[in-house]
Amino acid sequence: FGTEAARDLGAAGAAGDLFCDGSLGSHTAALHEPYADRDDTTGMVRFDIDDVVEHVVRCTRAGLQAGFHAIGDAAVDQVLTAVEQAVRRAGPPAVPHRIEHAEYVREPGRLAASGLVASLQPMFDAAWGGPTGMYARRLGAQRAGELNRFAALAAAGVPLAFGSDAPVTPLGPWAAVRAAVHPHDETAALDPSTAFAAHTRGGWAAAGRAGGDLCLGATATFAVWDAELEPASGLPVLAPGSELPRCLATVRAGEPIFDSGVLGAPG
């Protein structure tokens, strides 16, 4: 299970990524019903439920975060069942456990009640969503429309953290924020502030750490962007087709690691 090694390394919030199923593109994401374009398969769940429960229990007792790759609804449901059983055995975790991708969530309220952080990739919808995208070919239009329901998850109270899953989709935080604000189905859309928070504070919270805010006394980890701002939100213009912000500088823990010339000389 590797919990002892992770604890010795101090990786309390690193989670790992226990692959509970595969991907929709390869027909290996685990579904409750067969694929629309391959009715001979429902994908694959890679572990017995007892093994997943034991993994969560060991991580919880070691003070470590457990992380799960789960895309299909059957895999998501298995993770939720495992976490529910583990809580009854070991109590709630000190560091919130994390579910990666969680594209097909049938019960957002159940995911919220589990305490799992949902680490999502809005660019997946941008790349493969919509009525003619890969998801629709794999699942049919109705089920494809049930993927990546950002607004429903946020409304249910699921903690959200956004990322790229690079190199699956390119690194690009503003592209991901825009994809969550303007998904293929507008009823799944987040407001810009919620999407921005998921790609800043959300990542820190997913690792069980405070951070993601730029304020007095905070660790100076930030980026400087050239962007046209929306007056109402103070965030960049994110309309489809608009030019995304351009990074001018990045600072990590007070140390510049990239500077196009805007930071100036130290001191």
Side-chain angles (χ1 to χ4, degrees):
F1 289 83
T3 51
E4 293 80 5
R7 183 179 54 204
D8 292 344
L9 290 168
D17 200 14
L18 193 70
F19 269 66
C20 294
D21 69 344
S23 70
L24 291 165
S26 64
H27 298 92
T28 53
L31 305 175
H32 285 298
E33 301 294 334
Y35 281 82
D37 60 349
R38 267 198 60 185
D39 62 7
D40 63 327
T41 184
T42 58
M44 55 184 293
V45 174
R46 297 187 65 244
F47 300 103
D48 292 334
I49 183 66
D50 291 344
D51 290 335
V52 183
V53 172
E54 184 64 24
H55 177 71
V56 180
V57 168
R58 290 193 182 199
C59 287
T60 299
R61 288 175 174 168
L64 301 174
Q65 182 183 64
F68 308 94
H69 167 114
I71 287 179
D73 55 345
V76 170
D77 286 349
Q78 185 195 58
V79 170
L80 293 177
T81 298
V83 169
E84 291 161 356
Q85 293 184 18
V87 167
R88 289 195 289 271
R89 282 179 53 187
V95 180
H97 300 312
R98 173 178 59 77
I99 185 168
E100 194 72 34
H101 312 311
E103 292 196 75
Y104 197 172
V105 179
R106 296 192 301 164
E107 300 178 79
R110 186 184 178 198
L111 177 53
S114 74
L116 285 162
V117 175
S119 174
L120 308 179
Q121 295 75 36
M123 289 301 294
F124 285 7
D125 174 75
W128 303 305
T132 61
M134 181 268 287
Y135 292 152
R137 296 194 299 273
R138 292 292 182 268
L139 302 178
Q142 180 177 341
R143 283 190 294 172
E146 297 173 16
L147 302 183
N148 299 304
R149 304 300 299 177
F150 309 121
L153 296 175
V158 177
L160 302 179
F162 288 164
S164 67
D165 202 35
V168 177
T169 64
L171 294 169
W174 289 113
V177 171
R178 180 165 67 185
V181 174
H182 296 287
H184 279 93
D185 183 348
E186 64 181 15
T187 65
L190 294 177
D191 65 86
S193 295
T194 301
F196 177 72
H199 219 315
T200 50
R201 291 190 298 272
W204 289 79
R209 300 172 61 190
D213 290 305
L214 191 60
C215 58
L216 186 64
T219 300
T221 298
F222 61 91
V224 179
W225 301 87
D226 180 14
E228 179 186 357
L229 301 182
E230 291 277 11
S233 66
L235 293 172
V237 173
L238 296 172
S242 63
E243 185 175 351
L244 290 171
R246 181 170 62 93
C247 186
L248 302 177
T250 55
V251 176
R252 183 181 183 277
E255 294 294 328
I257 56 177
F258 167 69
D259 181 13
S260 64
V262 299
L263 297 178

